[in-house]
Amino acid sequence: MERLNKYIARCGIASRRKADELIAAGRVSVNGIPAPPCGLMIDPDKDSVTVDGAGLETSEDLVYYTLNKPAGYYSTVSDPHVDHDMTVCSLVPAEPRVFPVGRLDADSCGLIILTNDGELANMLTHPSFEHEKEYEVFASWEKQFQGKIKGRKIVMSMERGLNLEGKMTLPAKVEIRRIDESGVLFRIILKEGRNRQIRKMCELLGLKVLTLQRIRIGGLLLGELLPGDYEIISKEDI
């Protein structure tokens, strides 16, 4: 017997956390019946599992890609509201099927990992592991710029953590590369991945993000990958 979300991850459809979302959304059926969102156990040898009506089968060939996601592409395998040609999965080989590890919002670009290794994806995305992710950001001042000293203090307040939607963000590492009346260019290292976190933090500080690029995940660097290009890597690289 195997937990349903783990089986879906093992089939290369999504991480276990994303599999839970698919189940909760009613997109997963077991033996023709929508699966309940309560940790269902299945027998992969006897039970028939489908996601959006498509049957699943496990893949013994684990693959790992790093991709430089262009702005405008969505970090999803499939979405009824998104053209498949505009998903990150359309930029890598169709077989074996892979899914993105974590998210970059559609307006952001940069490094993202795609794989069919559900257990690794769970390890990389679970908050308890606190894997570092580094971003380069350029943001303009929505409020009047009041000089480099005050502007620097405003941006550096992200290092201490901010109260974002009722919960403090974890302390971050911030390096300001350039700051003037037009805006601020900085790099930030996070150990969490809340939804649109950097954009919301900047908005709270009176800044509007104009460009956001992820340049590192753990020890993996974006390097010389051009937008839309991918590279095959090994599990050991990650």
Side-chain angles (χ1 to χ4, degrees), residues 68-74 86 105-110 199 212 227-228:
N68 185 347
K69 185 189 92 66
Y73 280 76
Y74 291 80
M86 295 306 296
D105 64 63
D107 296 327
S108 301
C109 60
R199 294 180 186 276
L212 191 158

Side-chain angles (χ1 to χ4, degrees), residues 218-237:
L220 280 175
L221 300 175
L222 178 62
E224 301 300 318
L225 274 180
L226 296 175
D229 284 353
Y230 71 90
E231 183 176 21
I232 300 172
I233 60 172
S234 69
K235 186 172 184 177
E236 290 69 31
D237 291 328

